[in-house]
Amino acid sequence: MLEIWQLDDKLWFPAVHLALDEPNGLLAFGGDLSAERLLLAYSKGIFPWFSEGEPILWWSPAPRMVLFPEQIKIHRSLRKRLKRDDFQITFDQNFSQVIHLCAQLRQNREGTWITPEMQAAYIELHQRGFAHSVEVWQDNELVGGLYGLALGRVFFGESMFSRVSDASKVALVALAQRLEELNFQLIDCQVYSPHLASLGAREIERDEFLRHLKQGVEV
């Protein structure tokens, strides 16, 4: 019988191949959002995703949506937008505001998993040098961005937001170009979305994803 594993106070996770097929990738519940547990989770291809009032749920879906930095697709309309040069890009200049706006915009649409507890946990990871943000500015206003974790040569994308057309796409392009310069292997996008697929992300099997983690992740 398949089961969802319950975590305790010890720092451990079950093997990801034990994750459920339905719902896809659900592996465990419980534990906490300490920096140590989060870093262990990501290094094994696991991430938290849960709503307010739920226990902490841990996931490792298969297949896995990833973007190889050198394979970012910049379509003609986006390339024209970039040439207009009306956006300014920064890195790690306002992490807390980026994660707050990601949570706020999703709350306004369909609800969010970026709870206050989650925000605090990732802000701590940012303070420790693991979590990073990309900010997109227009006329000195923060209009788009994304955040995630960098472990070794793998970037684990968590969420993005856009307050004007194309701002989140610009953030992802800037991230991919920066990571390619730094010789990163891939960007973990977690699960399929048409938006990410249009920018060059694709699904790979779990075993291939785990091979990339083994080669690229350092904690």
Side-chain angles (χ1 to χ4, degrees), residues 79-95:
R79 195 174 299 278
K80 287 181 179 179
R81 187 65 189 266
L82 291 168
K83 287 182 177 180
R84 282 167 51 183
D85 202 28
D86 57 343
F87 289 133
Q88 296 77 47
I89 310 297
T90 58
F91 296 86
D92 288 336
Q93 293 302 300
N94 205 331
F95 183 92

Side-chain angles (χ1 to χ4, degrees), residues 159-196:
S159 187
M160 60 176 62
F161 80 95
S162 184
R163 302 170 86 178
V164 302
S165 178
D166 293 331
S168 63
K169 293 180 181 179
V170 169
L172 185 59
V173 168
L175 174 69
Q177 292 175 340
R178 173 64 64 88
L179 294 181
E180 185 178 5
E181 292 172 358
L182 296 173
N183 199 32
F184 269 60
Q185 288 189 9
L186 59 76
I187 301 169
D188 174 28
C189 302
Q190 299 180 349
V191 295
Y192 178 87
S193 79
H195 175 70
L196 292 169

Side-chain angles (χ1 to χ4, degrees), residues 87-102 104-105 133-146 161-164 167 171:
F87 289 133
Q88 296 77 47
I89 310 297
T90 58
F91 296 86
D92 288 336
Q93 293 302 300
N94 205 331
F95 183 92
S96 60
Q97 186 67 0
V98 168
I99 193 171
H100 173 72
L101 288 171
C102 285
Q104 184 181 70
L105 290 182
S133 59
V134 181
E135 300 90 17
V136 180
W137 307 83
Q138 188 175 55
D139 299 326
N140 296 317
E141 180 184 359
L142 186 59
V143 295
L146 59 81
F161 80 95
S162 184
R163 302 170 86 178
V164 302

Side-chain angles (χ1 to χ4, degrees), residues 7 11-15 27-28 37-38 40-41 44 46 58:
L7 302 182
L11 286 178
W12 71 283
F13 284 97
L27 177 65
R37 191 182 296 273
L38 285 169
L40 178 62
K44 293 180 176 296
I46 302 164
W58 301 91

Side-chain angles (χ1 to χ4, degrees), residues 45-118:
I46 302 164
F47 59 86
W49 183 35
F50 62 101
S51 299
E52 193 81 53
E54 293 181 343
I56 300 171
L57 302 177
W58 301 91
W59 303 76
S60 184
R64 193 76 165 223
M65 191 74 165
V66 302
L67 173 62
F68 295 94
E70 69 278 8
Q71 294 179 8
I72 186 77
K73 289 183 180 178
I74 307 176
H75 296 287
R76 185 167 58 181
S77 60
L78 181 57
R79 195 174 299 278
K80 287 181 179 179
R81 187 65 189 266
L82 291 168
K83 287 182 177 180
R84 282 167 51 183
D85 202 28
D86 57 343
F87 289 133
Q88 296 77 47
I89 310 297
T90 58
F91 296 86
D92 288 336
Q93 293 302 300
N94 205 331
F95 183 92
S96 60
Q97 186 67 0
V98 168
I99 193 171
H100 173 72
L101 288 171
C102 285
Q104 184 181 70
L105 290 182
R106 275 163 175 73
Q107 185 67 53
N108 293 340
R109 292 173 185 169
E110 70 273 355
T112 183
W113 73 96
I114 312 173
T115 64
E117 182 184 14
M118 287 277 276

